[in-house]
Amino acid sequence: MKNNCIRIKGARQNNLKNLNLEIPLNHLTVVTGVSGSGKSSLAFDTLYAEGQRRYVETFSPYARQFMDRMDRPRVESIEGIPPAIAIDRKDPVRTSRSTVGTMTELTDYVKLLFARLARLYCRNCGDPVIPETPDLIWEKIQKFPENTKVIITFPCDLRNTPPSAIINELLRTGFDRVFFDNKIEDLSLSLIEKSGKTIHVVVDRIIFNRKDRKRIIDSLELAFRFGGGQLDIWRMDDVHMAFSEALECPRCHIVYTGPTPNLFSFNSPAGACELCRGFGRTIDIDMDLIIPDHTLTLEEGAIKPWGTWEEKKPEYEDLVNFCRKNLIPIDVEFGQLTTEQQWSIIEGTSDYYGIRGFFRWLETKTYKMPVRVYLSRYRSYDICRECLGTRFNKEALLYRLKGKTIAEIYAQSVNRAFSFCEHISIPKEDKPGQMVLDAVKSRLKYLKDVGLGYLTLDRQSRTLSGGEVQRVSLAAALGSSLVNTLYILDEPSIGLHPSDTHRLISILHNLRDLSNTLVVVEHDPDIISQSDYLLDLGPGAGENGGEVMYFGPTSHVDSSL
């Protein structure tokens, strides 16, 4: 075992009594005992602290200054310890940018999936926006009735170019006819003057026949080439179809930028809502806190931060002067004032700052602590009015995958998102796309396996319970497929229904089978019974703990409580 174990000699952290242990590598070891017996002192304060400290020491001095460094534990020596990862329910998530999706790296794969497979829909007409090719156009027009008269044209912009220059250039390239007023006309100066901003130059006119596919494809390619990626198809029975080779709506002529992965990330400036910057909420003054009682008059202090005449605040004096000047009664309930009067007091006018102007001025003074404290009394977090809490900008929400935007997918529970991904079909030749989809489904499956199928992917991490955070981290660890790593877990069964315990055990075994070492602090008898080794500390708590009561294969345990 000497070459396949973590050798601990003289561990004296907190209440540990000079422990000497050899913890087997690539096995699941459960540390149990009464509360306060030294379980966390051994697992987190000794093993994790030393494993993390040594890993950080491998970085350059420049990199180490940006990393959290842990104190060396009170132990004579620890040999054979791999890099350590702690999954601790006591470690809260503080940033509001962190969600279930970001913790498991699902968002990193979903954005790749959207960049490859999502379809853009025009923000004006709602039609799909697809870069057209001659082959795709042929698929649409091959259903035309036989012997239909069809004309293929390309648009020519008449603005910013002299008509004579346009005529000379078109004649030079072999185009001498235009489609105007449902008729084919010869190219002429007078016709251009009547056409307005654009003329439609004729590339080909045919009697439609499916046998002429090659000729039609060649004409479409020619029209795209000279039309700058745009062409039109006219049928003499008043059917007009416009096509664009670019990412442009042929009906509304709105040009869109191509999809990139960062467009589908609320943590990137490219995809985040411009107003809330990807947080989903905005902080603003709360009128219900500023004017809590609409039955009070201005004279009685309806505007709470400005008080009454007795307090003699300058803002109150300015308010009274404004009301007298504009004939607004100060002895009438605020709720009884006209909408226009209330609006002028709240929003201000050209010669009066109003409530909002006052707080905008205060925001320029937030370098002062008392001002920040004062503002906090009258502020609240509200759902962003621009993105409605989705965190994404409007352009990102124009893309849909199987009819759903990326925000709608994140709003689904893990169970529903997994079912949704099961119905996504990837072309056989798109192997990278299939790999990305498999990565998404595997992470969703891990979340289901640890009993978190009810969580939504956009759920903020800091709103999760300690047990939920730990199981999300466990699913992320399994999804990352790390090997030769030491995982330290603190009671992962906390908050888990007993019927789901077998799923957690399966997850722990899968982590172990990836050539990882697991040290789990646990009390659940089902998890203890499925471990490889059992370390029982005790016999009591505090000074009466820190001793090894039993350490060995779990199957051989006979004297442990």
Side-chain angles (χ1 to χ4, degrees):
M1 185 177 284
K2 289 186 178 180
N3 296 326
N4 296 300
C5 66
I6 303 172
R7 290 183 294 279
I8 303 173
K9 184 177 180 182
R12 298 182 302 276
Q13 186 71 22
N14 298 331
N15 66 337
L16 299 181
K17 302 295 195 304
N18 201 37
L19 300 186
N20 298 311
L21 298 168
E22 291 186 352
I23 298 177
L25 292 172
N26 304 330
H27 287 81
L28 170 57
T29 301
V30 167
V31 183
T32 189
V34 299
S35 180
S37 60
K39 303 185 298 296
S40 296
S41 296
L42 175 64
F44 290 94
D45 299 337
T46 302
L47 275 175
Y48 172 65
E50 183 65 10
Q52 184 71 359
R53 187 187 68 83
R54 292 189 186 182
Y55 177 64
V56 171
E57 290 295 325
T58 64
F59 290 90
S60 67
Y62 176 78
R64 288 202 298 268
Q65 67 179 323
F66 301 107
M67 304 177 72
D68 292 333
R69 304 181 68 178
M70 306 190 71
D71 295 331
R72 183 185 180 91
R74 294 184 61 196
V75 60
E76 287 185 22
S77 66
I78 299 181
E79 299 178 7
I81 186 168
I85 294 176
I87 302 177
D88 186 3
R89 60 188 171 92
K90 302 184 187 69
D91 186 20
V93 180
R94 294 180 176 86
T95 173
S96 58
R97 284 194 179 275
S98 177
T99 65
V100 172
T102 59
M103 282 187 70
T104 55
E105 298 179 356
L106 266 165
T107 53
D108 293 332
Y109 289 95
V110 173
K111 70 181 184 182
L112 293 176
L113 199 64
F114 256 74
R116 294 187 69 89
L117 301 178
R119 177 172 289 185
L120 173 66
Y121 289 80
C122 178
R123 63 170 174 263
N124 186 38
C125 65
D127 287 346
V129 181
I130 306 172
E132 303 287 355
T133 64
D135 289 325
L136 287 176
I137 296 174
W138 170 255
E139 293 294 327
K140 294 180 179 180
I141 68 173
Q142 66 174 338
K143 299 177 183 178
F144 283 0
E146 293 282 343
N147 301 320
T148 303
K149 292 183 179 180
V150 175
I151 299 171
I152 300 173
T153 69
F154 67 83
C156 180
D157 192 354
L158 302 178
R159 295 170 295 181
N160 304 321
T161 307
S164 58
I166 292 175
I167 293 174
N168 292 335
E169 181 63 23
L170 290 174
L171 291 174
R172 187 183 67 81
T173 51
F175 300 107
D176 58 0
R177 293 172 298 176
V178 296
F179 188 72
F180 179 75
D181 199 17
N182 290 326
K183 293 184 294 184
I184 295 178
E185 303 277 0
D186 290 331
L187 182 64
S188 66
L189 185 61
S190 60
L191 186 63
I192 287 182
E193 292 173 350
K194 290 188 296 182
S195 298
K197 297 179 180 179
T198 306
I199 58 172
H200 293 279
V201 182
V202 176
V203 175
D204 198 359
R205 57 178 179 173
I206 56 176
I207 303 298
F208 184 78
N209 190 311
R210 291 179 181 84
K211 296 180 180 179
D212 294 332
R213 180 183 183 278
K214 186 177 185 309
R215 172 184 171 179
I216 294 173
I217 291 290
D218 290 343
S219 298
L220 293 174
E221 291 176 348
L222 194 65
F224 267 145
R225 177 184 171 189
F226 287 96
Q230 293 182 331
L231 64 81
D232 297 84
I233 293 179
W234 313 78
R235 268 175 31 190
M236 299 312 293
D237 52 357
D238 293 332
V239 173
H240 171 221
M241 303 174 70
F243 299 95
S244 175
E245 200 175 31
L247 202 60
E248 176 184 5
C249 178
R251 177 179 297 180
C252 306
H253 300 292
I254 300 174
V255 179
Y256 298 92
T257 57
T260 60
N262 282 342
L263 178 63
F264 305 106
S265 171
F266 54 76
N267 284 327
S268 168
C273 169
E274 294 180 359
L275 182 60
C276 67
R277 299 182 181 179
F279 285 96
R281 298 190 301 167
T282 55
I283 185 170
D284 198 5
I285 58 173
D286 190 337
M287 284 300 163
D288 290 333
L289 297 175
I290 295 171
I291 310 175
D293 188 354
H294 283 229
T295 64
L296 294 177
T297 66
L298 296 175
E299 197 174 34
E300 292 170 339
I303 302 176
K304 186 178 178 180
W306 293 351
T308 65
W309 66 272
E310 295 174 340
E311 299 176 45
K312 296 182 173 21
K313 292 184 178 180
E315 296 81 24
Y316 177 81
E317 297 295 334
D318 292 342
L319 173 64
V320 171
N321 292 334
F322 170 74
C323 291
R324 287 172 179 168
K325 182 179 177 182
N326 292 272
L327 302 178
I328 300 175
I330 63 173
D331 57 351
V332 174
E333 293 181 5
F334 185 84
Q336 299 299 320
L337 297 177
T338 66
T339 303
E340 185 179 352
Q341 289 171 340
Q342 293 180 9
W343 180 265
S344 62
I345 292 172
I346 294 173
E347 300 295 334
T349 63
S350 58
D351 57 351
Y352 177 61
Y353 49 82
I355 294 174
R356 288 199 180 276
F358 170 71
F359 278 93
R360 278 196 299 268
W361 172 78
L362 276 181
E363 286 170 0
T364 65
K365 310 293 181 183
T366 51
Y367 57 87
K368 299 177 181 179
M369 177 62 75
V371 173
R372 296 200 295 273
V373 173
Y374 182 86
L375 282 172
S376 68
R377 298 175 188 168
Y378 303 105
R379 279 175 163 177
S380 65
Y381 284 96
D382 301 307
I383 298 295
C384 176
R385 64 179 182 273
E386 190 73 21
C387 68
L388 303 179
T390 63
R391 300 176 177 229
F392 291 96
N393 60 31
K394 292 180 179 179
E395 188 175 355
L397 297 177
L398 294 176
Y399 288 84
R400 298 178 200 164
L401 181 60
K402 289 188 67 66
K404 291 188 178 294
T405 65
I406 191 168
E408 290 172 339
I409 291 176
Y410 287 160
Q412 291 181 320
S413 67
V414 170
N415 287 333
R416 290 187 176 181
F418 183 80
S419 177
F420 174 81
C421 291
E422 287 279 88
H423 293 89
I424 296 177
S425 57
I426 306 287
K428 290 184 179 180
E429 61 273 10
D430 187 7
K431 292 184 179 179
Q434 188 62 53
M435 290 174 61
V436 173
L437 180 61
D438 290 343
V440 172
K441 290 196 292 187
S442 66
R443 280 162 170 75
L444 289 171
K445 184 177 182 300
Y446 295 145
L447 285 171
K448 288 178 60 180
D449 290 344
V450 294
L452 297 178
Y454 59 90
L455 292 180
T456 58
L457 297 177
D458 61 358
R459 172 83 174 267
Q460 284 192 8
S461 304
R462 63 181 184 179
T463 67
L464 302 175
S465 68
E468 287 172 335
V469 168
Q470 190 169 196
R471 292 201 298 280
V472 170
S473 300
L474 195 58
L478 193 58
S480 64
S481 299
L482 289 175
V483 297
N484 298 323
T485 302
L486 171 63
Y487 286 95
I488 313 289
L489 291 89
D490 185 14
E491 298 186 53
S493 64
I494 289 291
L496 190 65
H497 194 277
S499 63
D500 292 325
T501 301
H502 67 282
R503 294 181 178 179
L504 176 60
I505 294 171
S506 177
I507 290 287
L508 296 176
H509 286 170
N510 287 338
L511 266 179
R512 176 201 61 191
D513 295 341
L514 290 172
S515 299
N516 292 305
T517 304
L518 278 75
V519 175
V520 182
V521 176
E522 188 56 84
H523 294 286
D524 187 276
D526 291 331
I527 294 179
I528 293 174
S529 65
Q530 295 298 316
S531 64
D532 300 318
Y533 289 86
L534 175 64
L535 171 57
D536 184 23
L537 297 178
E543 293 183 358
N544 298 321
E547 298 181 16
V548 176
M549 306 306 297
Y550 173 82
F551 180 42
T554 304
S555 58
H556 296 167
V557 65
D558 53 6
S559 60
S560 171
L561 294 177

